[in-house]
Amino acid sequence: GPPGESELRFCRRRGYRCCSTMPGHIQYSEKYYDDVYEYRHVILTPEVAKLLPKGKLLSEDEWRSIGVQQSRGWIHYAIHKPEPHIMLFRRPVGYGQQPLQPSAAVNVK
C-alpha cells in the first residue's frame, strides 16, 4: 500500500494510546520504530483537519501553524488518503542525540 499505511495498521493493532484523548483535542500516538526511523501519527480534530491543504505534505512551520505541537525533527512524510485527518510523521532514530565527540574523550595514562 501507500507509504505510511502499514505503520498505521501496525499502530492500530496496538490500539491508539494517545497522550490526549479529550474530545476536541489533537491526539498524538506513542512512537513506534523500525531500524531507520521513529514514527508517530497525529489525529487532528475535524476543525483542524479542515485547514489541511488537500494532498500536500506540510513543512514544520505549516504543521505548527495549525496547532500540532511536538519536538523538532519530525517530518510529515505521507498522507493516508482514506483518513486525511491522520498525519503521519517520522524522523531518524536517535534524532537530536549528539554522539560523544572523540576530542571530548580524556586520555588517562
Side-chain angles (χ1 to χ4, degrees), residues 51-83:
L51 304 174
L52 279 179
K54 286 215 185 323
K56 179 182 185 297
L57 295 172
L58 302 191
S59 69
E60 185 167 335
D61 285 343
E62 289 171 324
W63 54 253
R64 286 189 188 282
S65 74
I66 62 170
V68 175
Q69 298 177 347
Q70 52 188 350
S71 52
R72 299 212 169 274
W74 290 100
I75 305 294
H76 180 213
Y77 76 99
I79 296 165
H80 187 234
K81 285 201 168 68
E83 298 173 297

Side-chain angles (χ1 to χ4, degrees), residues 25-27 42-46 48-49 52 66 68 84-87:
H25 285 67
I26 293 174
Q27 297 179 21
V42 174
I43 305 168
L44 303 176
T45 64
V48 174
L52 279 179
I66 62 170
V68 175
H85 64 290
I86 300 178
M87 298 180 73

Side-chain angles (χ1 to χ4, degrees), residues 31 33 36 38 71-74 91-101:
K31 291 185 265 189
Y33 301 84
V36 182
E38 57 182 343
S71 52
R72 299 212 169 274
W74 290 100
R91 67 181 177 184
V93 169
Y95 178 90
Q97 296 173 2
Q98 295 301 318
L100 182 65
Q101 297 300 317

